Amino acid sequence: MRPKIYLFGDSITEYSFAEGGWGAALTNHFSRRVDVVLRGFSGYNTRWALKVIDKAFPPASAAGSGGDEAEAEAPLAVTVFFGANDACLPDQYGAFQHVPVDEYKQNLRSIFSFFKRRWPKTHVVLITPPPIDEAARLLNPYGEIKLGLPERTNEAAGSYAMACVSVASECQTPAIDLWTKMQQIPGWQTAFLCDGLHLTERGNRIVFEEVVAKFEEQGLRLETLPADFPLFTDIDPNDPLKAFET
Amino acid sequence: MRPKIYLFGDSITEYSFAEGGWGAALTNHFSRRVDVVLRGFSGYNTRWALKVIDKAFPPASAAGSGGDEAEAEAPLAVTVFFGANDACLPDQYGAFQHVPVDEYKQNLRSIFSFFKRRWPKTHVVLITPPPIDEAARLLNPYGEIKLGLPERTNEAAGSYAMACVSVASECQTPAIDLWTKMQQIPGWQTAFLCDGLHLTERGNRIVFEEVVAKFEEQGLRLETLPADFPLFTDIDPNDPLKAFET
């Protein structure tokens, strides 16, 4: 059977199959080679993610541990994309989603360890939260604006992004620093974000490109992943059925 | 674990996660409830589909046959979307993809029986090939144009569409008659088709809407499919962790 890549995260992952979404683009990119599986949980922070992680992913193997079957069922990779909700300010309407940055780091370590314990060879890529456009957040609130302040700030998101990069480095696993990457482009506030937090099609495009690039660094590239059955270009017009002989 | 819906077909299925694609839209629609799994094989006809079908889908159950585990692993539904390649004319450059319409019918019956044998309760939805815009095919050929004729005609696609609807009726399984549906809209040639054969974003939208409607007729609707973990709206801001107690 075809190998899998899991996308684990919050709404920025859950919405990644909407118009122009990065999850859909990954599925299209890996069609015939990999099944991209959506495990996005809108609104979740890392604390809640840890409450569901054990049941959100299949066990290492139905047959037991460590055998060939377990190897076969391990996903190629998992993206871990949390932090946008953890970084909600603790004194605004998103306070119940807030997770202190030290706990966020500890939770990311636990998520990383969970995957490595279950599937030692699976590539785990951490993705930082995107930057926040505070003006747009004030225009698109989910709750009551207090004292004219947004529920998320770019500075807070930045400290969670730094924390994420630091955990990745500590765990010797790759990270995509979306917070920094996006802010390198003038006009990032509206080019990449549609409501100051979620992604536009261009924002989705960046995530897609960064994830593909990071996978390629890990050796997960189209050229080396087998297609699961003859590609159209491998079929001889003069003897089409030959390609299907085993 | 989350139930699955498989999309089985040719390029119109394989490309369904590209920009605006109907497969991505289905994944987005069913996020948190169902895993939509892509099994699209560009260029394939039903004859070739039957060569790969057994290995393209998981066995009924690792543990044996008929037990609860088999039940749990059966997908909710499969879409079967072939015919556009079978309908290639037998005397133009797509001749090696051509499958006579009687064999096409027999092959569709075999595909249907395969799924029903493996998973008796799985809904199988047949989708007819779309109409063909012959003028656009002449402008977008994959091979040598002979005698000024395209490799596919709308009339030929129509007879395969009728054959598909007839097999569905015989098997008492739902069909989506895309060939007829699309031609009800004036300007269908460019509104729904980008090269006389493959779908534009509007064409993809129609397929998405028709598939969702057909699933709902079969009882596969968001309202009755459980979300796999607490939705954000189910989380009490005053006691968020309560939603995660089991």
Side-chain angles (χ1 to χ4, degrees):
Chain A
M1 290 303 295
R2 221 180 271 193
K4 290 186 176 64
I5 291 175
Y6 285 99
L7 313 182
F8 187 40
D10 54 32
S11 59
I12 304 173
T13 296
E14 183 173 330
Y15 303 164
S16 71
F17 286 76
E19 217 57 11
W22 64 276
L26 273 180
T27 309
N28 189 49
H29 180 78
F30 286 116
S31 72
R32 302 295 295 276
R33 288 174 166 83
V34 176
D35 287 332
V36 176
V37 186
L38 178 60
R39 286 292 176 274
F41 300 92
S42 181
Y44 278 38
N45 53 33
T46 52
R47 191 187 289 161
W48 305 348
L50 280 170
K51 293 287 178 191
V52 304
I53 193 168
D54 187 53
K55 290 186 178 162
F57 296 93
S61 165
S65 60
D68 281 354
E69 200 169 330
E71 217 52 70
E73 288 180 12
L76 291 178
V78 181
T79 58
V80 176
F81 192 172
F82 286 100
N85 298 316
D86 302 62
C88 279
L89 299 184
D91 55 359
Q92 299 294 332
Y93 66 77
F96 72 106
Q97 292 170 278
H98 171 75
V99 170
V101 71
D102 282 339
E103 183 190 337
Y104 169 72
K105 290 178 79 166
Q106 191 48 47
N107 291 344
L108 277 186
R109 287 185 198 106
S110 300
I111 291 171
F112 175 79
S113 307
F114 169 87
F115 288 123
K116 282 295 178 180
R117 212 165 40 237
R118 191 162 284 194
W119 301 306
K121 291 183 179 170
T122 296
H123 299 283
V124 179
V125 176
L126 306 189
I127 308 177
T128 75
I132 294 292
D133 175 21
E134 295 166 24
R137 290 309 310 140
L138 286 170
L139 292 172
N140 296 279
Y142 303 130
E144 190 197 348
I145 301 283
K146 284 187 235 165
L147 305 169
L149 294 172
E151 90 292 7
R152 288 167 171 86
T153 62
N154 194 40
E155 188 187 355
S159 64
Y160 286 74
M162 271 177 48
C164 174
V165 170
S166 141
V167 169
S169 161
E170 186 189 300
C171 297
Q172 297 180 289
T173 206
I176 296 171
D177 183 356
L178 207 59
W179 188 82
T180 300
K181 196 94 199 167
M182 285 187 162
Q183 291 182 83
Q184 286 164 353
I185 310 295
W188 59 268
Q189 293 89 340
T190 52
F192 302 140
L193 305 172
C194 61
D195 60 1
L197 166 64
H198 295 99
L199 306 177
T200 60
E201 293 199 15
R202 273 188 72 192
N204 272 288
R205 186 83 205 163
I206 288 202
V207 177
F208 165 69
E209 287 168 359
E210 290 292 320
V211 170
V212 167
K214 208 52 86 177
F215 282 168
E216 292 194 348
E217 283 174 27
Q218 307 297 306
L220 298 183
R221 47 182 74 236
L222 287 188
E223 298 73 21
T224 52
L225 291 166
D228 59 358
F229 293 108
L231 295 173
F232 189 51
T233 46
D234 298 330
I235 294 173
D236 179 357
N238 296 311
D239 187 5
L241 291 180
K242 194 169 164 51
F244 297 95
E245 289 167 9
T246 45
Chain B
M1 291 301 296
R2 222 180 270 194
K4 290 186 176 63
I5 291 175
Y6 284 100
L7 312 182
F8 187 40
D10 54 30
S11 57
I12 303 173
T13 296
E14 184 173 330
Y15 303 165
S16 71
F17 287 76
E19 217 56 12
W22 64 276
L26 274 179
T27 308
N28 188 49
H29 180 77
F30 286 116
S31 72
R32 301 294 297 275
R33 288 173 165 84
V34 176
D35 287 332
V36 176
V37 185
L38 178 59
R39 286 292 176 274
F41 300 92
S42 181
Y44 278 38
N45 54 33
T46 52
R47 191 187 289 161
W48 305 349
L50 281 170
K51 294 286 179 194
V52 305
I53 193 169
D54 186 53
K55 290 187 179 162
F57 296 92
S61 166
S65 59
D68 280 353
E69 200 168 331
E71 216 53 67
E73 289 182 8
L76 291 178
V78 181
T79 59
V80 176
F81 192 172
F82 287 100
N85 298 316
D86 303 62
C88 280
L89 298 184
D91 56 357
Q92 298 294 332
Y93 66 76
F96 73 107
Q97 292 169 278
H98 171 76
V99 169
V101 72
D102 282 339
E103 183 190 335
Y104 169 71
K105 289 177 79 166
Q106 192 47 50
N107 291 344
L108 277 186
R109 287 185 199 106
S110 300
I111 291 170
F112 175 79
S113 307
F114 169 88
F115 288 123
K116 281 296 178 179
R117 214 166 39 237
R118 192 162 284 194
W119 300 307
K121 291 184 181 170
T122 296
H123 298 284
V124 179
V125 175
L126 305 189
I127 308 177
T128 76
I132 294 293
D133 175 21
E134 295 166 23
R137 290 309 310 140
L138 286 169
L139 292 172
N140 296 279
Y142 302 129
E144 191 197 348
I145 301 285
K146 284 188 230 161
L147 304 168
L149 295 171
E151 90 293 6
R152 288 167 171 86
T153 63
N154 193 38
E155 187 187 356
S159 62
Y160 285 74
M162 273 176 47
C164 174
V165 170
S166 141
V167 169
S169 161
E170 187 189 300
C171 297
Q172 298 181 284
T173 207
I176 296 170
D177 184 355
L178 207 60
W179 189 82
T180 300
K181 196 95 199 167
M182 285 188 163
Q183 291 183 83
Q184 286 164 353
I185 309 296
W188 59 268
Q189 293 88 340
T190 51
F192 302 139
L193 305 172
C194 60
D195 59 0
L197 166 65
H198 295 100
L199 306 177
T200 59
E201 293 199 16
R202 273 188 70 191
N204 272 289
R205 187 81 205 167
I206 288 203
V207 177
F208 165 69
E209 287 168 358
E210 290 291 321
V211 170
V212 168
K214 207 54 85 177
F215 283 167
E216 291 194 349
E217 283 174 28
Q218 308 297 307
L220 298 183
R221 48 181 75 235
L222 287 188
E223 297 73 22
T224 53
L225 291 166
D228 60 358
F229 292 107
L231 295 174
F232 189 51
T233 48
D234 298 331
I235 295 172
D236 179 358
N238 296 313
D239 187 5
L241 291 180
K242 193 168 165 55
F244 297 95
E245 289 168 9
T246 44

